[in-house]
mmCIF file of all heavy atoms in Angstrom:
data_model
loop_
_atom_site.group_PDB
_atom_site.id
_atom_site.type_symbol
_atom_site.label_atom_id
_atom_site.label_comp_id
_atom_site.label_asym_id
_atom_site.label_seq_id
_atom_site.Cartn_x
_atom_site.Cartn_y
_atom_site.Cartn_z
ATOM 1 N N MET W 1 -26.580 140.820 -62.898
ATOM 2 C CA MET W 1 -27.580 140.862 -61.873
ATOM 3 C C MET W 1 -26.957 141.324 -60.566
ATOM 4 O O MET W 1 -25.830 140.993 -60.269
ATOM 5 C CB MET W 1 -28.143 139.462 -61.699
ATOM 6 C CG MET W 1 -29.642 139.465 -61.739
ATOM 7 S SD MET W 1 -30.316 137.871 -61.367
ATOM 8 C CE MET W 1 -31.360 137.745 -62.768
ATOM 9 N N SER W 2 -27.721 142.064 -59.788
ATOM 10 C CA SER W 2 -27.178 142.552 -58.525
ATOM 11 C C SER W 2 -27.380 141.513 -57.425
ATOM 12 O O SER W 2 -28.318 140.739 -57.430
ATOM 13 C CB SER W 2 -27.847 143.870 -58.136
ATOM 14 O OG SER W 2 -29.204 143.642 -57.851
ATOM 15 N N GLU W 3 -26.467 141.539 -56.488
ATOM 16 C CA GLU W 3 -26.524 140.606 -55.367
ATOM 17 C C GLU W 3 -27.509 141.126 -54.319
ATOM 18 O O GLU W 3 -27.620 142.320 -54.097
ATOM 19 C CB GLU W 3 -25.132 140.478 -54.761
ATOM 20 C CG GLU W 3 -25.048 139.437 -53.676
ATOM 21 C CD GLU W 3 -23.631 139.323 -53.130
ATOM 22 O OE1 GLU W 3 -22.683 139.379 -53.928
ATOM 23 O OE2 GLU W 3 -23.502 139.213 -51.918
ATOM 24 N N THR W 4 -28.239 140.215 -53.687
ATOM 25 C CA THR W 4 -29.178 140.606 -52.635
ATOM 26 C C THR W 4 -28.392 141.116 -51.445
ATOM 27 O O THR W 4 -27.454 140.458 -50.994
ATOM 28 C CB THR W 4 -30.027 139.392 -52.201
ATOM 29 O OG1 THR W 4 -30.655 138.845 -53.350
ATOM 30 C CG2 THR W 4 -31.055 139.780 -51.163
ATOM 31 N N PRO W 5 -28.739 142.293 -50.920
ATOM 32 C CA PRO W 5 -28.000 142.810 -49.765
ATOM 33 C C PRO W 5 -28.212 141.911 -48.548
ATOM 34 O O PRO W 5 -29.278 141.336 -48.358
ATOM 35 C CB PRO W 5 -28.597 144.196 -49.532
ATOM 36 C CG PRO W 5 -29.848 144.244 -50.321
ATOM 37 C CD PRO W 5 -29.788 143.188 -51.354
ATOM 38 N N LYS W 6 -27.164 141.791 -47.745
ATOM 39 C CA LYS W 6 -27.255 140.959 -46.548
ATOM 40 C C LYS W 6 -28.016 141.688 -45.457
ATOM 41 O O LYS W 6 -27.854 142.878 -45.269
ATOM 42 C CB LYS W 6 -25.862 140.608 -46.050
ATOM 43 C CG LYS W 6 -25.114 139.717 -46.999
ATOM 44 C CD LYS W 6 -23.783 139.324 -46.454
ATOM 45 C CE LYS W 6 -23.119 138.436 -47.478
ATOM 46 N NZ LYS W 6 -22.029 137.700 -46.968
ATOM 47 N N THR W 7 -28.835 140.942 -44.765
ATOM 48 C CA THR W 7 -29.553 141.516 -43.630
ATOM 49 C C THR W 7 -28.648 141.428 -42.412
ATOM 50 O O THR W 7 -27.713 140.632 -42.386
ATOM 51 C CB THR W 7 -30.854 140.737 -43.363
ATOM 52 O OG1 THR W 7 -30.500 139.391 -43.050
ATOM 53 C CG2 THR W 7 -31.783 140.753 -44.555
ATOM 54 N N PRO W 8 -28.927 142.205 -41.371
ATOM 55 C CA PRO W 8 -28.088 142.125 -40.172
ATOM 56 C C PRO W 8 -28.018 140.715 -39.591
ATOM 57 O O PRO W 8 -26.999 140.298 -39.089
ATOM 58 C CB PRO W 8 -28.776 143.077 -39.201
ATOM 59 C CG PRO W 8 -29.488 144.058 -40.070
ATOM 60 C CD PRO W 8 -29.902 143.258 -41.281
ATOM 61 N N ALA W 9 -29.100 139.942 -39.678
ATOM 62 C CA ALA W 9 -29.098 138.595 -39.112
ATOM 63 C C ALA W 9 -28.210 137.640 -39.894
ATOM 64 O O ALA W 9 -27.695 136.683 -39.344
ATOM 65 C CB ALA W 9 -30.521 138.056 -39.055
ATOM 66 N N SER W 10 -28.017 137.900 -41.174
ATOM 67 C CA SER W 10 -27.209 136.981 -41.962
ATOM 68 C C SER W 10 -25.815 137.535 -42.253
ATOM 69 O O SER W 10 -24.997 136.845 -42.829
ATOM 70 C CB SER W 10 -27.910 136.667 -43.284
ATOM 71 O OG SER W 10 -28.010 137.833 -44.067
ATOM 72 N N ALA W 11 -25.538 138.752 -41.853
ATOM 73 C CA ALA W 11 -24.232 139.349 -42.094
ATOM 74 C C ALA W 11 -23.217 138.804 -41.094
ATOM 75 O O ALA W 11 -23.548 138.585 -39.930
ATOM 76 C CB ALA W 11 -24.324 140.872 -41.979
ATOM 77 N N PRO W 12 -21.994 138.574 -41.515
ATOM 78 C CA PRO W 12 -20.974 138.112 -40.568
ATOM 79 C C PRO W 12 -20.787 139.134 -39.454
ATOM 80 O O PRO W 12 -20.855 140.330 -39.667
ATOM 81 C CB PRO W 12 -19.721 138.006 -41.420
ATOM 82 C CG PRO W 12 -20.200 137.892 -42.815
ATOM 83 C CD PRO W 12 -21.493 138.659 -42.865
ATOM 84 N N SER W 13 -20.563 138.651 -38.240
ATOM 85 C CA SER W 13 -20.469 139.540 -37.090
ATOM 86 C C SER W 13 -19.053 139.975 -36.788
ATOM 87 O O SER W 13 -18.843 140.804 -35.927
ATOM 88 C CB SER W 13 -21.041 138.838 -35.865
ATOM 89 O OG SER W 13 -20.234 137.724 -35.557
ATOM 90 N N GLY W 14 -18.057 139.392 -37.444
ATOM 91 C CA GLY W 14 -16.681 139.749 -37.165
ATOM 92 C C GLY W 14 -16.050 138.826 -36.129
ATOM 93 O O GLY W 14 -14.873 138.897 -35.875
ATOM 94 N N ASN W 15 -16.856 137.979 -35.513
ATOM 95 C CA ASN W 15 -16.281 137.038 -34.557
ATOM 96 C C ASN W 15 -16.733 135.615 -34.862
ATOM 97 O O ASN W 15 -17.129 134.879 -33.988
ATOM 98 C CB ASN W 15 -16.585 137.434 -33.108
ATOM 99 C CG ASN W 15 -18.060 137.531 -32.821
ATOM 100 O OD1 ASN W 15 -18.883 137.374 -33.706
ATOM 101 N ND2 ASN W 15 -18.411 137.792 -31.579
ATOM 102 N N GLY W 16 -16.697 135.241 -36.113
ATOM 103 C CA GLY W 16 -16.917 133.860 -36.474
ATOM 104 C C GLY W 16 -18.244 133.522 -37.098
ATOM 105 O O GLY W 16 -18.621 132.375 -37.131
ATOM 106 N N GLY W 17 -18.995 134.471 -37.593
ATOM 107 C CA GLY W 17 -20.239 134.136 -38.262
ATOM 108 C C GLY W 17 -21.381 135.032 -37.851
ATOM 109 O O GLY W 17 -21.187 136.046 -37.189
ATOM 110 N N PRO W 18 -22.580 134.639 -38.239
ATOM 111 C CA PRO W 18 -23.738 135.483 -37.966
ATOM 112 C C PRO W 18 -24.080 135.511 -36.467
ATOM 113 O O PRO W 18 -23.830 134.534 -35.756
ATOM 114 C CB PRO W 18 -24.867 134.817 -38.758
ATOM 115 C CG PRO W 18 -24.454 133.396 -38.870
ATOM 116 C CD PRO W 18 -22.953 133.413 -38.937
ATOM 117 N N PRO W 19 -24.634 136.623 -35.998
ATOM 118 C CA PRO W 19 -25.006 136.716 -34.587
ATOM 119 C C PRO W 19 -26.290 135.962 -34.299
ATOM 120 O O PRO W 19 -27.385 136.502 -34.415
ATOM 121 C CB PRO W 19 -25.171 138.225 -34.376
ATOM 122 C CG PRO W 19 -25.557 138.747 -35.705
ATOM 123 C CD PRO W 19 -24.863 137.861 -36.712
ATOM 124 N N CYS W 20 -26.158 134.694 -33.965
ATOM 125 C CA CYS W 20 -27.344 133.907 -33.627
ATOM 126 C C CYS W 20 -27.006 132.909 -32.537
ATOM 127 O O CYS W 20 -25.843 132.596 -32.305
ATOM 128 C CB CYS W 20 -27.917 133.235 -34.866
ATOM 129 S SG CYS W 20 -27.207 131.646 -35.259
ATOM 130 N N GLY W 21 -28.025 132.421 -31.865
ATOM 131 C CA GLY W 21 -27.836 131.503 -30.760
ATOM 132 C C GLY W 21 -27.277 130.161 -31.166
ATOM 133 O O GLY W 21 -26.776 129.416 -30.326
ATOM 134 N N ASN W 22 -27.346 129.823 -32.445
ATOM 135 C CA ASN W 22 -26.816 128.545 -32.910
ATOM 136 C C ASN W 22 -25.352 128.627 -33.307
ATOM 137 O O ASN W 22 -24.783 127.636 -33.732
ATOM 138 C CB ASN W 22 -27.637 128.027 -34.096
ATOM 139 C CG ASN W 22 -29.029 127.647 -33.686
ATOM 140 O OD1 ASN W 22 -29.259 127.204 -32.571
ATOM 141 N ND2 ASN W 22 -29.975 127.825 -34.581
ATOM 142 N N ASN W 23 -24.765 129.786 -33.188
ATOM 143 C CA ASN W 23 -23.371 129.979 -33.568
ATOM 144 C C ASN W 23 -22.509 129.963 -32.305
ATOM 145 O O ASN W 23 -22.500 130.926 -31.543
ATOM 146 C CB ASN W 23 -23.216 131.315 -34.301
ATOM 147 C CG ASN W 23 -21.784 131.581 -34.706
ATOM 148 O OD1 ASN W 23 -20.892 130.797 -34.424
ATOM 149 N ND2 ASN W 23 -21.558 132.701 -35.363
ATOM 150 N N PRO W 24 -21.759 128.880 -32.062
ATOM 151 C CA PRO W 24 -20.960 128.800 -30.841
ATOM 152 C C PRO W 24 -19.799 129.790 -30.809
ATOM 153 O O PRO W 24 -19.219 130.019 -29.752
ATOM 154 C CB PRO W 24 -20.448 127.358 -30.843
ATOM 155 C CG PRO W 24 -20.456 126.958 -32.276
ATOM 156 C CD PRO W 24 -21.622 127.692 -32.894
ATOM 157 N N ASN W 25 -19.465 130.402 -31.949
ATOM 158 C CA ASN W 25 -18.367 131.372 -31.993
ATOM 159 C C ASN W 25 -18.816 132.795 -31.696
ATOM 160 O O ASN W 25 -17.975 133.683 -31.556
ATOM 161 C CB ASN W 25 -17.694 131.336 -33.370
ATOM 162 C CG ASN W 25 -17.098 129.981 -33.650
ATOM 163 O OD1 ASN W 25 -16.464 129.380 -32.798
ATOM 164 N ND2 ASN W 25 -17.319 129.481 -34.846
ATOM 165 N N PHE W 26 -20.120 133.024 -31.606
ATOM 166 C CA PHE W 26 -20.623 134.376 -31.364
ATOM 167 C C PHE W 26 -20.641 134.659 -29.868
ATOM 168 O O PHE W 26 -21.182 133.887 -29.088
ATOM 169 C CB PHE W 26 -22.025 134.547 -31.956
ATOM 170 C CG PHE W 26 -22.537 135.951 -31.829
ATOM 171 C CD1 PHE W 26 -22.049 136.945 -32.646
ATOM 172 C CD2 PHE W 26 -23.480 136.272 -30.876
ATOM 173 C CE1 PHE W 26 -22.501 138.249 -32.530
ATOM 174 C CE2 PHE W 26 -23.940 137.577 -30.750
ATOM 175 C CZ PHE W 26 -23.445 138.561 -31.575
ATOM 176 N N LYS W 27 -20.029 135.759 -29.460
ATOM 177 C CA LYS W 27 -19.981 136.124 -28.039
ATOM 178 C C LYS W 27 -21.300 136.772 -27.641
ATOM 179 O O LYS W 27 -21.708 137.768 -28.215
ATOM 180 C CB LYS W 27 -18.823 137.078 -27.790
ATOM 181 C CG LYS W 27 -18.652 137.445 -26.332
ATOM 182 C CD LYS W 27 -17.315 138.105 -26.116
ATOM 183 C CE LYS W 27 -17.136 138.634 -24.727
ATOM 184 N NZ LYS W 27 -17.393 137.717 -23.645
ATOM 185 N N LEU W 28 -21.949 136.189 -26.632
ATOM 186 C CA LEU W 28 -23.219 136.714 -26.145
ATOM 187 C C LEU W 28 -22.987 137.938 -25.272
ATOM 188 O O LEU W 28 -21.937 138.082 -24.649
ATOM 189 C CB LEU W 28 -23.941 135.647 -25.315
ATOM 190 C CG LEU W 28 -24.329 134.367 -26.038
ATOM 191 C CD1 LEU W 28 -24.904 133.368 -25.046
ATOM 192 C CD2 LEU W 28 -25.322 134.647 -27.129
ATOM 193 N N SER W 29 -24.008 138.789 -25.195
ATOM 194 C CA SER W 29 -23.935 139.924 -24.283
ATOM 195 C C SER W 29 -24.017 139.380 -22.860
ATOM 196 O O SER W 29 -24.486 138.250 -22.642
ATOM 197 C CB SER W 29 -25.095 140.884 -24.546
ATOM 198 O OG SER W 29 -26.310 140.295 -24.105
ATOM 199 N N PRO W 30 -23.583 140.138 -21.852
ATOM 200 C CA PRO W 30 -23.660 139.648 -20.475
ATOM 201 C C PRO W 30 -25.085 139.254 -20.066
ATOM 202 O O PRO W 30 -25.271 138.240 -19.388
ATOM 203 C CB PRO W 30 -23.154 140.826 -19.646
ATOM 204 C CG PRO W 30 -22.240 141.563 -20.577
ATOM 205 C CD PRO W 30 -22.876 141.422 -21.938
ATOM 206 N N GLY W 31 -26.083 140.001 -20.487
ATOM 207 C CA GLY W 31 -27.470 139.670 -20.154
ATOM 208 C C GLY W 31 -27.930 138.389 -20.821
ATOM 209 O O GLY W 31 -28.614 137.565 -20.203
ATOM 210 N N ASP W 32 -27.548 138.206 -22.073
ATOM 211 C CA ASP W 32 -27.902 136.971 -22.780
ATOM 212 C C ASP W 32 -27.195 135.776 -22.150
ATOM 213 O O ASP W 32 -27.784 134.708 -21.988
ATOM 214 C CB ASP W 32 -27.539 137.063 -24.263
ATOM 215 C CG ASP W 32 -28.449 137.995 -25.039
ATOM 216 O OD1 ASP W 32 -29.528 138.339 -24.522
ATOM 217 O OD2 ASP W 32 -28.065 138.378 -26.157
ATOM 218 N N GLN W 33 -25.924 135.952 -21.783
ATOM 219 C CA GLN W 33 -25.182 134.859 -21.158
ATOM 220 C C GLN W 33 -25.800 134.493 -19.815
ATOM 221 O O GLN W 33 -25.894 133.317 -19.463
ATOM 222 C CB GLN W 33 -23.706 135.238 -20.972
ATOM 223 C CG GLN W 33 -22.866 134.079 -20.464
ATOM 224 C CD GLN W 33 -22.839 132.906 -21.422
ATOM 225 O OE1 GLN W 33 -22.461 133.047 -22.576
ATOM 226 N NE2 GLN W 33 -23.235 131.744 -20.952
ATOM 227 N N GLN W 34 -26.268 135.489 -19.060
ATOM 228 C CA GLN W 34 -26.918 135.222 -17.778
ATOM 229 C C GLN W 34 -28.195 134.400 -17.984
ATOM 230 O O GLN W 34 -28.459 133.455 -17.242
ATOM 231 C CB GLN W 34 -27.251 136.520 -17.056
ATOM 232 C CG GLN W 34 -27.917 136.287 -15.717
ATOM 233 C CD GLN W 34 -28.271 137.581 -15.015
ATOM 234 O OE1 GLN W 34 -27.948 138.669 -15.492
ATOM 235 N NE2 GLN W 34 -28.932 137.483 -13.895
ATOM 236 N N ALA W 35 -28.973 134.751 -19.000
ATOM 237 C CA ALA W 35 -30.200 134.007 -19.288
ATOM 238 C C ALA W 35 -29.884 132.561 -19.652
ATOM 239 O O ALA W 35 -30.559 131.632 -19.194
ATOM 240 C CB ALA W 35 -30.973 134.688 -20.422
ATOM 241 N N VAL W 36 -28.848 132.341 -20.442
ATOM 242 C CA VAL W 36 -28.452 130.986 -20.819
ATOM 243 C C VAL W 36 -27.999 130.212 -19.580
ATOM 244 O O VAL W 36 -28.389 129.055 -19.376
ATOM 245 C CB VAL W 36 -27.326 131.016 -21.887
ATOM 246 C CG1 VAL W 36 -26.712 129.644 -22.083
ATOM 247 C CG2 VAL W 36 -27.856 131.558 -23.196
ATOM 248 N N ASP W 37 -27.196 130.853 -18.731
ATOM 249 C CA ASP W 37 -26.704 130.183 -17.528
ATOM 250 C C ASP W 37 -27.846 129.810 -16.590
ATOM 251 O O ASP W 37 -27.859 128.720 -16.014
ATOM 252 C CB ASP W 37 -25.696 131.066 -16.800
ATOM 253 C CG ASP W 37 -24.408 131.262 -17.582
ATOM 254 O OD1 ASP W 37 -24.130 130.460 -18.514
ATOM 255 O OD2 ASP W 37 -23.674 132.224 -17.279
ATOM 256 N N GLU W 38 -28.831 130.713 -16.428
ATOM 257 C CA GLU W 38 -29.982 130.432 -15.573
ATOM 258 C C GLU W 38 -30.802 129.269 -16.129
ATOM 259 O O GLU W 38 -31.260 128.409 -15.367
ATOM 260 C CB GLU W 38 -30.868 131.666 -15.424
ATOM 261 C CG GLU W 38 -30.246 132.741 -14.568
ATOM 262 C CD GLU W 38 -31.080 134.018 -14.518
ATOM 263 O OE1 GLU W 38 -32.190 134.040 -15.090
ATOM 264 O OE2 GLU W 38 -30.608 134.981 -13.915
ATOM 265 N N PHE W 39 -30.975 129.233 -17.428
ATOM 266 C CA PHE W 39 -31.754 128.161 -18.029
ATOM 267 C C PHE W 39 -31.023 126.823 -17.904
ATOM 268 O O PHE W 39 -31.636 125.797 -17.625
ATOM 269 C CB PHE W 39 -32.087 128.474 -19.487
ATOM 270 C CG PHE W 39 -33.058 127.500 -20.081
ATOM 271 C CD1 PHE W 39 -34.378 127.476 -19.663
ATOM 272 C CD2 PHE W 39 -32.664 126.588 -21.042
ATOM 273 C CE1 PHE W 39 -35.289 126.574 -20.195
ATOM 274 C CE2 PHE W 39 -33.559 125.676 -21.584
ATOM 275 C CZ PHE W 39 -34.879 125.677 -21.153
ATOM 276 N N ARG W 40 -29.712 126.841 -18.095
ATOM 277 C CA ARG W 40 -28.948 125.598 -17.927
ATOM 278 C C ARG W 40 -29.033 125.098 -16.483
ATOM 279 O O ARG W 40 -29.128 123.890 -16.245
ATOM 280 C CB ARG W 40 -27.496 125.812 -18.334
ATOM 281 C CG ARG W 40 -27.317 125.870 -19.820
ATOM 282 C CD ARG W 40 -25.871 126.007 -20.202
ATOM 283 N NE ARG W 40 -25.726 125.977 -21.650
ATOM 284 C CZ ARG W 40 -24.687 126.443 -22.292
ATOM 285 N NH1 ARG W 40 -23.681 126.979 -21.624
ATOM 286 N NH2 ARG W 40 -24.639 126.400 -23.602
ATOM 287 N N ALA W 41 -28.985 126.021 -15.507
ATOM 288 C CA ALA W 41 -29.121 125.632 -14.100
ATOM 289 C C ALA W 41 -30.504 125.041 -13.845
ATOM 290 O O ALA W 41 -30.648 124.044 -13.119
ATOM 291 C CB ALA W 41 -28.871 126.836 -13.194
ATOM 292 N N TYR W 42 -31.530 125.617 -14.443
ATOM 293 C CA TYR W 42 -32.895 125.091 -14.331
ATOM 294 C C TYR W 42 -32.963 123.671 -14.887
ATOM 295 O O TYR W 42 -33.523 122.769 -14.260
ATOM 296 C CB TYR W 42 -33.864 126.019 -15.072
ATOM 297 C CG TYR W 42 -35.165 125.358 -15.457
ATOM 298 C CD1 TYR W 42 -36.158 125.147 -14.501
ATOM 299 C CD2 TYR W 42 -35.402 124.930 -16.752
ATOM 300 C CE1 TYR W 42 -37.357 124.531 -14.848
ATOM 301 C CE2 TYR W 42 -36.581 124.319 -17.111
ATOM 302 C CZ TYR W 42 -37.561 124.119 -16.148
ATOM 303 O OH TYR W 42 -38.736 123.509 -16.496
ATOM 304 N N LEU W 43 -32.375 123.446 -16.052
ATOM 305 C CA LEU W 43 -32.394 122.117 -16.655
ATOM 306 C C LEU W 43 -31.642 121.111 -15.784
ATOM 307 O O LEU W 43 -32.066 119.960 -15.636
ATOM 308 C CB LEU W 43 -31.798 122.151 -18.061
ATOM 309 C CG LEU W 43 -32.610 122.883 -19.118
ATOM 310 C CD1 LEU W 43 -31.834 122.935 -20.433
ATOM 311 C CD2 LEU W 43 -33.967 122.236 -19.312
ATOM 312 N N LYS W 44 -30.535 121.556 -15.199
ATOM 313 C CA LYS W 44 -29.760 120.670 -14.335
ATOM 314 C C LYS W 44 -30.569 120.282 -13.097
ATOM 315 O O LYS W 44 -30.586 119.115 -12.706
ATOM 316 C CB LYS W 44 -28.462 121.368 -13.932
ATOM 317 C CG LYS W 44 -27.498 120.497 -13.187
ATOM 318 C CD LYS W 44 -26.204 121.243 -12.923
ATOM 319 C CE LYS W 44 -25.217 120.366 -12.174
ATOM 320 N NZ LYS W 44 -23.966 121.067 -11.931
ATOM 321 N N ARG W 45 -31.266 121.262 -12.478
ATOM 322 C CA ARG W 45 -32.116 120.965 -11.317
ATOM 323 C C ARG W 45 -33.236 120.011 -11.705
ATOM 324 O O ARG W 45 -33.559 119.080 -10.972
ATOM 325 C CB ARG W 45 -32.727 122.244 -10.742
ATOM 326 C CG ARG W 45 -31.786 123.069 -9.917
ATOM 327 C CD ARG W 45 -32.509 124.144 -9.124
ATOM 328 N NE ARG W 45 -33.417 124.960 -9.902
ATOM 329 C CZ ARG W 45 -33.085 126.050 -10.580
ATOM 330 N NH1 ARG W 45 -31.833 126.454 -10.585
ATOM 331 N NH2 ARG W 45 -33.975 126.726 -11.251
ATOM 332 N N ARG W 46 -33.837 120.246 -12.846
ATOM 333 C CA ARG W 46 -34.938 119.408 -13.306
ATOM 334 C C ARG W 46 -34.472 117.971 -13.557
ATOM 335 O O ARG W 46 -35.142 117.020 -13.190
ATOM 336 C CB ARG W 46 -35.521 120.017 -14.580
ATOM 337 C CG ARG W 46 -36.865 119.466 -14.955
ATOM 338 C CD ARG W 46 -37.430 120.263 -16.074
ATOM 339 N NE ARG W 46 -37.620 119.345 -17.190
ATOM 340 C CZ ARG W 46 -38.113 119.666 -18.349
ATOM 341 N NH1 ARG W 46 -38.446 120.904 -18.592
ATOM 342 N NH2 ARG W 46 -38.264 118.782 -19.284
ATOM 343 N N ARG W 47 -33.304 117.850 -14.181
ATOM 344 C CA ARG W 47 -32.756 116.531 -14.468
ATOM 345 C C ARG W 47 -32.439 115.787 -13.161
ATOM 346 O O ARG W 47 -32.601 114.578 -13.075
ATOM 347 C CB ARG W 47 -31.496 116.666 -15.320
ATOM 348 C CG ARG W 47 -30.906 115.370 -15.765
ATOM 349 C CD ARG W 47 -29.745 115.518 -16.742
ATOM 350 N NE ARG W 47 -28.794 116.552 -16.359
ATOM 351 C CZ ARG W 47 -28.501 117.618 -17.101
ATOM 352 N NH1 ARG W 47 -29.082 117.799 -18.264
ATOM 353 N NH2 ARG W 47 -27.626 118.504 -16.705
ATOM 354 N N ALA W 48 -32.018 116.524 -12.127
ATOM 355 C CA ALA W 48 -31.668 115.913 -10.842
ATOM 356 C C ALA W 48 -32.912 115.640 -9.987
ATOM 357 O O ALA W 48 -32.783 115.094 -8.901
ATOM 358 C CB ALA W 48 -30.701 116.812 -10.089
ATOM 359 N N GLY W 49 -34.094 116.030 -10.449
ATOM 360 C CA GLY W 49 -35.321 115.799 -9.704
ATOM 361 C C GLY W 49 -35.609 116.881 -8.679
ATOM 362 O O GLY W 49 -36.458 116.716 -7.816
ATOM 363 N N GLY W 50 -34.913 117.989 -8.777
ATOM 364 C CA GLY W 50 -35.104 119.089 -7.844
ATOM 365 C C GLY W 50 -36.297 119.944 -8.227
ATOM 366 O O GLY W 50 -37.017 119.650 -9.176
ATOM 367 N N PRO W 51 -36.494 121.011 -7.462
ATOM 368 C CA PRO W 51 -37.623 121.898 -7.743
ATOM 369 C C PRO W 51 -37.455 122.593 -9.095
ATOM 370 O O PRO W 51 -36.351 122.997 -9.450
ATOM 371 C CB PRO W 51 -37.601 122.906 -6.606
ATOM 372 C CG PRO W 51 -36.198 122.877 -6.086
ATOM 373 C CD PRO W 51 -35.690 121.487 -6.346
ATOM 374 N N PRO W 52 -38.526 122.741 -9.850
ATOM 375 C CA PRO W 52 -38.419 123.349 -11.177
ATOM 376 C C PRO W 52 -38.394 124.869 -11.152
ATOM 377 O O PRO W 52 -38.308 125.491 -12.194
ATOM 378 C CB PRO W 52 -39.667 122.852 -11.891
ATOM 379 C CG PRO W 52 -40.645 122.655 -10.792
ATOM 380 C CD PRO W 52 -39.853 122.207 -9.602
ATOM 381 N N GLU W 53 -38.450 125.487 -9.962
ATOM 382 C CA GLU W 53 -38.494 126.948 -9.906
ATOM 383 C C GLU W 53 -37.230 127.536 -10.495
ATOM 384 O O GLU W 53 -36.154 126.956 -10.401
ATOM 385 C CB GLU W 53 -38.622 127.461 -8.472
ATOM 386 C CG GLU W 53 -39.848 126.980 -7.751
ATOM 387 C CD GLU W 53 -39.587 125.700 -6.989
ATOM 388 O OE1 GLU W 53 -38.432 125.440 -6.620
ATOM 389 O OE2 GLU W 53 -40.534 124.959 -6.799
ATOM 390 N N ARG W 54 -37.388 128.705 -11.036
ATOM 391 C CA ARG W 54 -36.241 129.409 -11.592
ATOM 392 C C ARG W 54 -35.377 129.974 -10.475
ATOM 393 O O ARG W 54 -34.173 130.012 -10.552
ATOM 394 C CB ARG W 54 -36.739 130.552 -12.467
ATOM 395 C CG ARG W 54 -36.116 130.537 -13.828
ATOM 396 C CD ARG W 54 -36.677 131.586 -14.670
ATOM 397 N NE ARG W 54 -35.564 132.408 -15.128
ATOM 398 C CZ ARG W 54 -35.675 133.458 -15.858
ATOM 399 N NH1 ARG W 54 -36.844 133.877 -16.216
ATOM 400 N NH2 ARG W 54 -34.628 134.118 -16.239
ATOM 401 N N TYR W 55 -36.018 130.490 -9.458
ATOM 402 C CA TYR W 55 -35.312 131.117 -8.331
ATOM 403 C C TYR W 55 -35.697 130.380 -7.057
ATOM 404 O O TYR W 55 -36.639 130.766 -6.388
ATOM 405 C CB TYR W 55 -35.668 132.600 -8.237
ATOM 406 C CG TYR W 55 -35.356 133.353 -9.491
ATOM 407 C CD1 TYR W 55 -36.366 133.769 -10.335
ATOM 408 C CD2 TYR W 55 -34.044 133.616 -9.863
ATOM 409 C CE1 TYR W 55 -36.094 134.445 -11.505
ATOM 410 C CE2 TYR W 55 -33.771 134.303 -11.015
ATOM 411 C CZ TYR W 55 -34.780 134.712 -11.832
ATOM 412 O OH TYR W 55 -34.492 135.372 -12.986
ATOM 413 N N PRO W 56 -34.969 129.318 -6.715
ATOM 414 C CA PRO W 56 -35.330 128.486 -5.553
ATOM 415 C C PRO W 56 -35.264 129.226 -4.236
ATOM 416 O O PRO W 56 -34.621 130.175 -4.038
ATOM 417 C CB PRO W 56 -34.322 127.360 -5.582
ATOM 418 C CG PRO W 56 -33.269 127.731 -6.533
ATOM 419 C CD PRO W 56 -33.782 128.841 -7.371
#
């Protein structure tokens, strides 16, 4: 029997596993990293009781 071909989402990326947000070994693009950093800053402001705006 033939093996099912791997899709790009499930294929190893060469840097520690599949390219997905749940893989801590996958290096994000600069734009993706910026989005993650902005969201983490938003969560930190929200947790501290600050304004929920994205761009204060």
